[in-house]
Amino acid sequence: MPLSPATDHQPATSPQPPEAQEDARAVQLGRIYQLLQITILLTVLVVSIWLIGDVLMVIFAATLMAVILHNLAAIAERRLRLPYWLALSLVVVVLLAAIVGLLWSSGPAISEQATRLRIALTTQAHSLRDQLNASSLGRTVLDHLPQSLGGNQAEGGDSGMGTRIAGSMTGFLSSAFGAAGTLAVILIAGLYFALAPTLYVNGALRLIPPAHRPQARTLMLTAGRTLWAWTAGQALDMLVVGILSSVGLWFIGVPLALALGIVAGLANFIPYIGAFIGAVPAILLGLSLGTREGVMVAALYGAIQFFEGNVMAPMIQRHAVQMPPGLTILSQTVFGTILGMPGLILASPLTAALLAVMDEATPKLEDDERV
């Protein structure tokens, strides 16, 4: 039975009118234009970070200082019912008085202990190098370590990552002002930012198209709250680690317990990596007293970090910022490689602010979208 023409052939699709074709082409061109915009923006951002990363770190450090001063002044303003400028002046005076008092009462002892600590660590490093050179395995290890770490391997001009990090750090410290001048710039700029925060925030908002200003304002406020929460939590964490380290080392009988405790507390500003940086000097001094003391110091720092990671950190993160450990270490590696020591020090607060901004700017996942 022959098929009817209706079933034998499919109906031909009618061509789209010219207006529809022009609309589709306009949509495609719009997507290409948006993609080019994003690509150019990311390229400019990456190049800027690579070229003026040290300057950006100074700006971020000054902003972090301003956030700290502003929030402390806001607390004093609420509790003491003072004008904001007077509350900020009171906070600055109290901080300066605390620093001067600490230096006046404990400065000579801390300076003497720091000098003795440097001499003791240098002596221990030479002793450890001599012990390694006495064995074939030790010489093999030294042959694979660069000279900057006490090894025998000659360092090339600019081939290794360690060289690039050291070069970035050297450039930061030997800039026009140097380390002390850079710190002064950070403190002064942070104070001016804290004196009139709305002036600088509103000035930044004027650079953003009007349609996006409400969202940009929300993101800026979110970043500021996150930086304050991270700093407050980390300050408490550093204080506890420093006190526990000093008391524990004094109980074991390790010399320079106060200086080592201060080093451990300050190093803990860098999560995870700072714990190892703060423990190495104490363990080396413990080993100079004997194997037993070295093992006790290592056990002490292990117990402190266990307490900090499983008791202190969860308590702090209830009111502060929760950062995944893997992302924290990865950010420290990335920023430290690109920006040197300043990037390593400021990687965690910068990452915390970026995570908070991304969380606020992007839509939440639905239940059926989660893995």
Coordinates of all heavy atoms in Angstrom, one line a residue, residues 197-249:
P197 N 36.5 56.2 57.5 CA 36.3 55.0 56.6 C 35.2 55.3 55.5 O 35.4 54.8 54.4 CB 35.8 53.9 57.5 CG 35.3 54.6 58.7 CD 36.1 55.9 58.9
T198 N 34.2 56.0 55.8 CA 33.2 56.2 54.8 C 33.7 57.1 53.6 O 33.2 56.9 52.5 CB 32.0 57.0 55.4 OG1 32.4 58.2 56.0 CG2 31.3 56.1 56.5
L199 N 34.6 57.9 53.9 CA 35.2 58.8 52.8 C 35.8 57.9 51.7 O 35.6 58.0 50.5 CB 36.2 59.7 53.4 CG 37.0 60.6 52.4 CD1 36.1 61.5 51.6 CD2 38.1 61.4 53.1
Y200 N 36.6 56.9 52.2 CA 37.4 56.0 51.2 C 36.4 55.0 50.6 O 36.6 54.7 49.4 CB 38.5 55.4 51.9 CG 39.5 56.4 52.5 CD1 39.5 56.7 53.9 CD2 40.5 57.0 51.7 CE1 40.4 57.7 54.4 CE2 41.4 57.9 52.2 CZ 41.3 58.2 53.6 OH 42.2 59.2 54.1
V201 N 35.5 54.5 51.4 CA 34.6 53.5 50.8 C 33.7 54.1 49.8 O 33.4 53.6 48.7 CB 33.7 52.8 52.0 CG1 32.7 51.9 51.4 CG2 34.6 52.0 52.9
N202 N 33.2 55.3 50.1 CA 32.3 56.0 49.1 C 33.1 56.4 47.9 O 32.6 56.4 46.8 CB 31.7 57.2 49.8 CG 30.7 56.9 50.9 OD1 30.1 55.8 50.8 ND2 30.5 57.8 51.8
G203 N 34.3 56.8 48.1 CA 35.2 57.1 46.9 C 35.4 55.9 46.0 O 35.4 56.0 44.8
A204 N 35.6 54.7 46.6 CA 35.7 53.5 45.8 C 34.4 53.1 45.1 O 34.4 52.6 44.0 CB 36.1 52.3 46.7
L205 N 33.2 53.3 45.8 CA 31.9 53.0 45.2 C 31.7 53.9 44.0 O 30.9 53.5 43.1 CB 30.8 53.2 46.3 CG 30.7 52.1 47.3 CD1 29.7 52.5 48.4 CD2 30.4 50.8 46.7
R206 N 32.2 55.1 44.0 CA 31.9 56.0 42.8 C 32.6 55.5 41.6 O 32.2 55.9 40.5 CB 32.5 57.4 43.2 CG 31.7 58.2 44.2 CD 32.1 59.6 44.4 NE 31.9 60.4 43.2 CZ 32.3 61.6 43.0 NH1 32.8 62.3 44.1 NH2 32.1 62.3 41.9
L207 N 33.6 54.6 41.7 CA 34.3 54.1 40.5 C 33.5 52.9 39.9 O 33.9 52.4 38.9 CB 35.7 53.6 40.9 CG 36.6 54.6 41.5 CD1 37.9 54.0 42.0 CD2 36.9 55.8 40.5
I208 N 32.4 52.5 40.6 CA 31.6 51.4 40.1 C 30.4 51.9 39.4 O 29.8 52.9 39.9 CB 31.3 50.5 41.3 CG1 32.6 49.9 42.0 CG2 30.4 49.3 40.9 CD1 32.3 49.2 43.3
P209 N 29.9 51.2 38.4 CA 28.7 51.7 37.7 C 27.5 51.7 38.7 O 27.4 50.9 39.6 CB 28.5 50.6 36.6 CG 29.9 50.1 36.3 CD 30.6 50.2 37.6
P210 N 26.6 52.7 38.5 CA 25.5 52.9 39.5 C 24.7 51.6 39.7 O 24.2 51.3 40.8 CB 24.7 54.0 38.9 CG 25.7 54.8 38.1 CD 26.7 53.8 37.5
A211 N 24.5 50.8 38.6 CA 23.6 49.7 38.7 C 24.2 48.6 39.6 O 23.5 47.8 40.2 CB 23.4 49.1 37.3
H212 N 25.5 48.6 39.8 CA 26.2 47.6 40.6 C 26.6 48.1 42.0 O 27.2 47.4 42.7 CB 27.4 47.0 39.9 CG 27.1 46.4 38.6 ND1 26.5 45.2 38.4 CD2 27.3 46.9 37.3 CE1 26.3 44.9 37.1 NE2 26.8 45.9 36.4
R213 N 26.3 49.4 42.3 CA 26.8 49.9 43.5 C 26.2 49.3 44.8 O 26.9 49.0 45.8 CB 26.6 51.4 43.6 CG 27.6 52.2 42.7 CD 27.3 53.7 42.6 NE 28.2 54.3 41.7 CZ 28.1 55.6 41.3 NH1 27.1 56.4 41.8 NH2 28.9 56.1 40.5
P214 N 24.9 49.0 44.8 CA 24.3 48.3 46.0 C 25.0 47.0 46.3 O 25.3 46.7 47.5 CB 22.8 48.1 45.6 CG 22.5 49.2 44.6 CD 23.8 49.3 43.8
Q215 N 25.2 46.2 45.3 CA 25.9 44.9 45.5 C 27.3 45.1 46.0 O 27.8 44.4 46.9 CB 25.8 44.0 44.3 CG 26.4 42.6 44.5 CD 26.3 41.8 43.3 OE1 26.2 42.3 42.2 NE2 26.5 40.5 43.4
A216 N 28.0 46.1 45.3 CA 29.4 46.3 45.7 C 29.5 46.8 47.2 O 30.4 46.4 47.9 CB 30.0 47.4 44.8
R217 N 28.5 47.6 47.6 CA 28.5 48.1 49.0 C 28.3 46.9 49.9 O 29.0 46.8 51.0 CB 27.4 49.1 49.2 CG 27.2 49.6 50.6 CD 26.1 50.6 50.7 NE 25.9 51.1 52.0 CZ 25.2 50.4 53.0 NH1 24.6 49.3 52.7 NH2 25.1 51.0 54.2
T218 N 27.4 46.0 49.6 CA 27.2 44.8 50.4 C 28.5 44.0 50.5 O 28.8 43.5 51.6 CB 26.0 44.0 49.9 OG1 24.9 44.8 49.8 CG2 25.8 42.8 50.7
L219 N 29.2 43.8 49.4 CA 30.4 43.0 49.4 C 31.5 43.6 50.2 O 32.2 42.9 50.9 CB 30.8 42.8 47.9 CG 29.9 42.0 47.0 CD1 30.4 41.8 45.6 CD2 29.6 40.6 47.6
M220 N 31.6 45.0 50.1 CA 32.6 45.7 50.9 C 32.4 45.5 52.4 O 33.3 45.2 53.2 CB 32.7 47.1 50.5 CG 33.3 47.4 49.2 SD 33.4 49.2 48.9 CE 34.1 49.2 47.2
L221 N 31.1 45.7 52.8 CA 30.8 45.5 54.2 C 31.0 44.1 54.7 O 31.5 43.8 55.8 CB 29.3 45.9 54.5 CG 29.0 47.4 54.2 CD1 27.5 47.6 54.4 CD2 29.8 48.3 55.2
T222 N 30.7 43.1 53.8 CA 31.0 41.7 54.1 C 32.4 41.4 54.3 O 32.9 40.7 55.3 CB 30.4 40.8 53.0 OG1 29.0 41.0 52.9 CG2 30.6 39.3 53.4
A223 N 33.3 42.0 53.4 CA 34.7 41.8 53.5 C 35.2 42.4 54.8 O 36.1 41.8 55.5 CB 35.4 42.4 52.3
G224 N 34.7 43.6 55.2 CA 35.2 44.2 56.4 C 34.8 43.4 57.7 O 35.7 43.3 58.6
R225 N 33.6 42.9 57.7 CA 33.2 42.1 58.9 C 34.0 40.8 58.9 O 34.4 40.4 60.0 CB 31.7 41.8 58.8 CG 30.8 43.0 59.0 CD 29.4 42.5 59.2 NE 28.8 41.8 58.0 CZ 28.2 42.5 57.1 NH1 27.9 43.8 57.2 NH2 27.7 41.8 56.0
T226 N 34.3 40.2 57.8 CA 35.1 39.0 57.8 C 36.5 39.2 58.3 O 37.1 38.4 59.0 CB 35.1 38.4 56.4 OG1 33.8 38.2 56.0 CG2 35.9 37.1 56.4
L227 N 37.1 40.3 57.8 CA 38.5 40.6 58.3 C 38.6 40.9 59.8 O 39.5 40.4 60.4 CB 39.0 41.9 57.5 CG 39.4 41.7 56.0 CD1 39.8 43.0 55.4 CD2 40.5 40.6 55.9
W228 N 37.6 41.6 60.3 CA 37.6 41.8 61.7 C 37.4 40.5 62.5 O 38.0 40.2 63.5 CB 36.5 42.8 62.1 CG 36.2 42.8 63.6 CD1 35.0 42.5 64.2 CD2 37.1 43.3 64.6 NE1 35.1 42.7 65.6 CE2 36.4 43.2 65.8 CE3 38.4 43.8 64.6 CZ2 37.0 43.5 67.0 CZ3 39.0 44.1 65.8 CH2 38.3 44.0 67.0
A229 N 36.4 39.6 62.0 CA 36.2 38.4 62.7 C 37.4 37.5 62.7 O 37.8 36.9 63.7 CB 35.0 37.7 62.1
W230 N 38.1 37.4 61.5 CA 39.3 36.6 61.4 C 40.4 37.2 62.3 O 41.1 36.4 63.0 CB 39.8 36.6 60.0 CG 41.0 35.7 59.7 CD1 40.9 34.4 59.4 CD2 42.4 36.0 59.9 NE1 42.2 33.9 59.3 CE2 43.1 34.8 59.6 CE3 43.0 37.2 60.3 CZ2 44.5 34.8 59.7 CZ3 44.4 37.1 60.3 CH2 45.1 36.0 60.0
T231 N 40.6 38.5 62.3 CA 41.7 39.1 63.1 C 41.4 38.8 64.6 O 42.4 38.5 65.4 CB 41.8 40.6 62.8 OG1 42.0 40.7 61.4 CG2 43.0 41.2 63.6
A232 N 40.2 39.1 65.1 CA 39.9 38.9 66.5 C 40.1 37.4 66.9 O 40.7 37.1 68.0 CB 38.5 39.3 66.8
G233 N 39.7 36.5 66.1 CA 39.9 35.1 66.4 C 41.3 34.7 66.4 O 41.8 34.0 67.3
Q234 N 42.1 35.2 65.4 CA 43.5 34.8 65.3 C 44.3 35.5 66.4 O 45.2 34.9 66.9 CB 44.0 35.3 64.0 CG 45.3 34.6 63.5 CD 45.1 33.1 63.3 OE1 44.0 32.6 63.1 NE2 46.2 32.3 63.4
A235 N 43.9 36.7 66.9 CA 44.6 37.3 68.0 C 44.5 36.5 69.3 O 45.4 36.3 70.0 CB 44.1 38.7 68.2
L236 N 43.2 36.0 69.5 CA 43.0 35.2 70.7 C 43.8 33.9 70.6 O 44.4 33.4 71.6 CB 41.5 34.9 70.8 CG 41.1 34.0 72.0 CD1 41.5 34.5 73.3 CD2 39.6 33.7 71.9
D237 N 43.8 33.3 69.4 CA 44.6 32.1 69.2 C 46.1 32.3 69.4 O 46.7 31.5 70.1 CB 44.3 31.6 67.8 CG 44.8 30.2 67.5 OD1 44.1 29.2 67.8 OD2 46.0 30.0 67.1
M238 N 46.6 33.4 68.9 CA 48.0 33.7 69.1 C 48.4 33.9 70.6 O 49.4 33.4 71.1 CB 48.4 34.9 68.3 CG 48.3 34.7 66.8 SD 48.4 36.3 65.9 CE 49.9 37.0 66.5
L239 N 47.5 34.6 71.3 CA 47.7 34.8 72.7 C 47.8 33.5 73.5 O 48.7 33.3 74.3 CB 46.6 35.7 73.3 CG 46.7 36.1 74.8 CD1 48.0 36.9 75.1 CD2 45.5 36.9 75.2
V240 N 46.8 32.6 73.3 CA 46.8 31.3 74.0 C 48.0 30.5 73.6 O 48.7 29.9 74.5 CB 45.5 30.6 73.6 CG1 45.5 29.2 74.2 CG2 44.3 31.3 74.2
V241 N 48.4 30.4 72.4 CA 49.6 29.6 72.0 C 50.8 30.2 72.6 O 51.7 29.4 73.1 CB 49.7 29.6 70.4 CG1 51.0 29.0 70.0 CG2 48.5 28.7 69.9
G242 N 51.0 31.5 72.6 CA 52.2 32.1 73.2 C 52.3 31.9 74.7 O 53.4 31.5 75.2
I243 N 51.2 32.0 75.4 CA 51.2 31.8 76.8 C 51.5 30.3 77.2 O 52.4 30.0 78.0 CB 49.9 32.2 77.5 CG1 49.8 33.7 77.4 CG2 49.8 31.8 78.9 CD1 48.4 34.2 77.9
L244 N 50.8 29.4 76.5 CA 51.1 28.0 76.7 C 52.5 27.6 76.4 O 53.1 26.8 77.1 CB 50.1 27.1 75.9 CG 48.6 27.2 76.4 CD1 47.7 26.4 75.5 CD2 48.4 26.8 77.8
S245 N 53.0 28.1 75.3 CA 54.4 27.8 74.9 C 55.4 28.3 75.9 O 56.3 27.5 76.3 CB 54.7 28.4 73.5 OG 53.8 27.9 72.6
S246 N 55.3 29.5 76.4 CA 56.2 30.0 77.4 C 56.2 29.3 78.7 O 57.2 28.9 79.2 CB 55.9 31.5 77.6 OG 56.1 32.3 76.5
V247 N 54.9 29.0 79.2 CA 54.8 28.3 80.4 C 55.4 26.9 80.3 O 56.1 26.4 81.2 CB 53.3 28.3 80.9 CG1 53.2 27.4 82.1 CG2 52.9 29.7 81.2
G248 N 55.0 26.2 79.2 CA 55.5 24.8 79.0 C 57.0 24.7 78.9 O 57.6 23.9 79.5
L249 N 57.6 25.6 78.2 CA 59.1 25.6 78.0 C 59.8 26.0 79.3 O 60.8 25.4 79.7 CB 59.5 26.6 76.9 CG 59.1 26.3 75.5 CD1 59.4 27.4 74.5 CD2 59.8 25.0 75.0

